[in-house]
Amino acid sequence: MAFPTSDNQRMSRIVTLDTETTGISYRQGHRVIEIGAVELIDGRLSGRQFHTYLQPQRAVDYGAMRVHGISDAMLVGQPLFAHKAAELLDFIGGSELVV
């Protein structure tokens, strides 16, 4: 997505997104437990970011925890994805998204 500037140049906005999960198989009911995103304007970090942990309503597999270090205890009391989805979509807006 391009934004006009005061001197009629166009700025590009890209949002990069990263996630962590309870495991690797959606068929086994694995879920997203962390979402992080940063905004780049013209290829440079703007300072805007989005981050949240999520309650997956299932245990984190031991193998996944060894990769990302996120334990079940860290997710107690965290919001469900449904409660953070609108905020994430608002942050992404109409930007180009890199996952």
Side-chain angles (χ1 to χ4, degrees):
M1 173 176 227
F3 298 96
T5 63
S6 60
D7 58 0
N8 288 330
Q9 293 180 343
R10 310 277 294 166
M11 295 188 315
S12 68
R13 180 174 188 262
I14 297 172
V15 171
T16 63
L17 181 82
D18 184 48
T19 62
E20 298 297 347
T21 63
T22 59
I24 60 173
S25 175
Y26 75 92
R27 288 187 179 110
Q28 293 178 1
H30 289 288
R31 306 259 176 91
V32 173
I33 56 173
E34 182 181 27
I35 302 171
V38 296
E39 176 187 66
L40 292 97
I41 302 292
D42 290 336
R44 296 180 186 267
L45 290 171
S46 71
R48 288 191 65 223
Q49 60 186 9
F50 173 90
H51 179 263
T52 189
Y53 289 107
L54 299 167
Q55 173 52 249
Q57 298 182 303
R58 63 156 292 148
V60 177
D61 278 6
Y62 178 73
M65 195 218 26
R66 287 192 48 164
V67 170
H68 52 56
I70 301 170
S71 68
D72 293 330
M74 293 172 64
L75 302 174
V76 172
Q78 298 298 331
L80 297 172
F81 177 77
H83 297 145
K84 298 299 278 188
E87 185 181 345
L88 174 61
L89 291 173
D90 185 53
F91 181 80
I92 294 168
S95 296
E96 187 174 340
L97 184 63
V98 176
V99 180

